[in-house]
């Protein structure tokens, strides 16, 4: 049940851009995701919108006055962060989006017919380095997939109800480390930490041996509320700017030893990767669908009067170092869909601010691992290999219970595959695992001779 | 065992300032804490250093060139945040501190003998509004008091070992909400949330009935490390700028229902208050003492080669609305000392970055509730009233299990009471509880008529 206004010109499936857009591109004119890109290592960063295989650079357009009536603070478009856009709120977001759609549509000649300008403001995607779209100020991670939470319960509490008593009453969540949210492509150094096997007399120290992924979708908020004044669920759409893919890397052995009673800490805080393009809620509106039934009915502050699930296909690929060297594509290890999430983004935001906490520009809220009901749709290696008991076999013949050094994980998401509607894609979030260094600041550096000998057997 | 260099002129107990400093002031010339203050509601904020009953405004001093050779980025002193100072690291921090000490000492005439300048750069403390010293980017809260963790275990798991197995091996911690860290004096709206009594068939919604405090001390880091390169414990002092008092407000009934399995979330995220003056590690150095013995010996990455406890006296006062109206001083409900903390700040920082996570300017790390061994030295109402079973009696005759609307909590900290050394004080962190509003965005606003009727019985 799409609730997009049929008169919204930015969603018209017949709309075309004068910028070439390949068949199957993630970025047709109906998408227009925002990101921050750099032309080279010295570039502080520019705000751009993806269109086909290009980026439209908004900074020069603002300086030329072409966006002057479309945003109250045009200088915000010359920053190296979406923060100034995020703070505006939905009416302003829609106005800016409408104008960018207009400038890029075949009927418009304001850029298209000025070759000097077009050359200046269109940057080939493959010549840009993507940066974090915004410095993340707060990072909340939920636990909103019924299947994931149930799988975790089955694995770790086999003799009890898989779900804890609170799970069906509220979207369980916690705070992750905002400062280690990184953009896709950032290498992930295998973390070291304390681990303790059940039969070990004492913990030991070394690189994690259970390095995992978590397939998630996150949303970035803007607008924002005052401290002490919750965002009611019916207003959630006014505050949610757009969505990104999230890989919440996890060291399961570190997490298992540390997490009682205050939750995950170092098992997660070494890195969380997000995709660079923020797909707006407006672009996703045609793919809005009803979410799963909730039983029991949630408390009133968690009851939405609109559909708040989104039909987003998700896929996880894994490449070993050998596969990457041979140029093989990532091996797909999971396929699932965001629409199965039990707790919606609107419920998550209403819950997270229900105590009066603020949410605003720079806040990232992630879904938690998204797992479907079929084992091929699980969103973590922990589930896909069932704690390592059913290793995956890669095309190069190697097996994986958890990630090895040199492995690259690629997550993709899109709406519209096989539909009559335009494909609204997220691009990807990827990361490659680097070995734990033995150098300064690490185990061998504390002056007491631990190192390989200090590792767990 | 103080490890301050005896030749450090800023620590000389005989040093005096030409700015008047009352006997017993928290802010003699040996302290020189940094903060951000405003002269009025339109003022974006200035960086200042407290001296006696005054603030030395660093912005004009920088513009006059008086700090020109003392900081590589003098414009950082004209910001409304300590961020630019925090990023510099210890050698630069010491240099700036040395110059400020010099300018304020009786022997120096550069400000003292220029009345126009002195008037411009000295602001009476009582004419300034204090702001957050820095926008907090990441907030980690530890659980490092042996007595507090033991008390929690005794209350919530009476038949088991009070401490969980990991507690003596690592400083247990988790991430709190950075965006709701507020400065002392910010009112705290009583949060609403889901709670469920053990015998209730389902959770209900309403204002917390178990609003509590947590007496903590936090540290702000600067300098910082690269992602993937831990800060070794011997380098912790290069990264810790200074300390603040922290009141980590907690709604125990919300926390109890939500916290499994991912830790505290809304029971804490509505507000965390910090004191406005950041007392530098250099000022505290004369009060550096050996911490408690640790058994078992921690893993090598947690072994420090220096003393890392600090002899800081701590006190919590509570005023009812009636007491405040009658001008009565806060009733002291707890007295304890920071030196009893089991896990040191150096251990906390080394642990928090041991997985390669970054820490830098804008990061706040808090100790967790500081409780001593005597019941009068507990750092939370939960412990002081033993889950409400032993209510406190205030001077106005009223009783307290947990906080009531209109209550004001004041926490103070200082070094040196009764010693021959100068008093190094923190000032205070205070907050007053406001009733949960029934207005927009709250329970009565979700369009389904819950409100008082939706509260727990």
């Amino acid at each position: 049940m799409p609730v997009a206004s049929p008169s919204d010109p930015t969603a018209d499936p017949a709309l075309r851009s004068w910028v070439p857009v390949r068949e199957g591109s993630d970025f047709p004119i109906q998408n227009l995701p925002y990101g921050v890109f750099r032309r080279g290592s010295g570039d502080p960063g520019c705000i751009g919108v993806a269109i086909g295989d290009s980026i439209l650079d908004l900074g020069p357009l603002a300086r030329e006055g072409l966006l002057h009536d479309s945003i109250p603070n045009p200088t915000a478009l010359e920053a190296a962060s979406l923060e100034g856009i995020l703070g505006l709120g939905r009416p302003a977001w829609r106005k800016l989006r409408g104008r960018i759609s207009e400038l890029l549509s075949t009927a418009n000649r304001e850029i298209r017919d000025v070759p000097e300008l077009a050359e200046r403001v269109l940057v080939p995607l493959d010549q840009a380095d993507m940066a974090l779209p915004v410095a993340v100020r707060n990072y909340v991670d939920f636990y909103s997939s019924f299947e994931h939470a149930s799988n975790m319960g089955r694995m770790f509490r086999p003799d009890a109800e898989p779900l804890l008593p609170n799970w069906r009453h509220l979207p369980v969540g916690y705070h992750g480390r905002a400062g280690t949210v990184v953009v896709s492509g950032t290498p992930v150094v295998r973390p070291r930490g304390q681990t303790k096997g059940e039969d070990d007399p004492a913990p030991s120290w070394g690189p994690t041996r259970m390095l995992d992924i978590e397939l998630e979708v996150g949303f970035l908020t803007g607008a924002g509320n005052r401290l002490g004044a919750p965002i009611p669920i019916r207003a959630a759409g006014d505050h949610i700017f757009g969505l990104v893919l999230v890989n919440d890397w996890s060291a399961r052995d570190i997490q298992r030893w540390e997490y009682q009673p205050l939750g995950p800490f170092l098992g997660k805080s070494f890195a969380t990767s997000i995709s660079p393009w923020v797909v707006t809620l407006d672009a996703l509106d045609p793919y809005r669908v009803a979410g799963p039934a909730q039983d029991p009915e949630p408390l009133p502050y968690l009851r939405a009067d609109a559909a708040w699930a989104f039909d987003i296909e998700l896929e996880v690929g894994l490449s070993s170092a050998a596969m990457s060297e041979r140029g093989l594509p990532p091996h797909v290890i999971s396929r699932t869909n965001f629409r199965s999430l039990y707790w919606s983004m609107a419920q998550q935001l209403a819950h997270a601010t229900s105590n009066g906490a603020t949410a605003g520009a720079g806040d990232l809220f992630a879904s938690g691992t998204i797992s479907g009901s079929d084992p091929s749709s699980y969103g973590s290696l922990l589930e896909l290999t069932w704690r390592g008991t059913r290793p995956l076999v890669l095309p190069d013949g190697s097996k994986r219970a958890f990630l090895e050094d040199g492995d690259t994980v690629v997550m993709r998401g899109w709406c519209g595959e096989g539909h009559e509607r335009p494909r609204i894609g997220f691009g990807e979030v990827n990361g490659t695992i680097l070995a734990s260094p033995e150098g300064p600041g690490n185990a061998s550096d504390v002056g007491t001779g631990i190192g390989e000998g200090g590792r767990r057997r």
Side-chain angles (χ1 to χ4, degrees), chain A residues 193-197 200-205 257 454 456:
Chain A
Q194 279 196 32
T195 56
K196 182 181 170 300
D200 294 345
S204 52
W205 167 261
W257 170 234
R456 291 190 61 205

Side-chain angles (χ1 to χ4, degrees), chain A residues 39 85 198 213 223 243 258 317 320 331 370 377 450:
Chain A
R39 286 181 169 86
I85 297 176
E198 280 182 31
I213 59 171
L243 278 63
E258 74 177 356
S320 65
H331 178 62
I370 301 166
S377 67
I450 73 160

Side-chain angles (χ1 to χ4, degrees), chain A residues 370-427:
Chain A
I370 301 166
S371 292
S373 51
D374 185 89
S376 68
S377 67
Y378 292 165
S380 67
L381 290 171
L382 192 67
E383 294 163 272
L384 287 165
T385 71
W386 210 253
R387 295 184 87 170
T389 58
R390 304 173 201 157
L392 302 173
V393 180
L394 299 184
D396 65 1
S398 63
K399 291 185 178 178
R400 286 294 180 283
F402 293 96
L403 296 175
E404 298 195 358
D405 295 343
D407 282 356
T408 299
V409 177
V410 181
M411 296 176 175
R412 300 182 203 274
W414 66 90
C415 308
E417 193 81 352
H419 299 259
E420 290 304 300
R421 289 167 291 179
R423 176 180 170 109
I424 303 293
F426 283 76

Side-chain angles (χ1 to χ4, degrees), chain A residues 312-346:
Chain A
I312 303 173
E313 306 276 354
L314 299 166
E315 188 180 275
V316 183
L318 174 59
S319 296
S320 65
M323 289 168 64
S324 298
E325 276 165 28
R326 286 154 55 188
L328 296 179
H331 178 62
V332 174
I333 60 172
S334 178
R335 284 198 178 91
T336 188
N337 194 299
F338 184 55
R339 67 185 295 170
S340 65
L341 210 69
Y342 189 89
W343 292 104
S344 73
M345 294 184 287

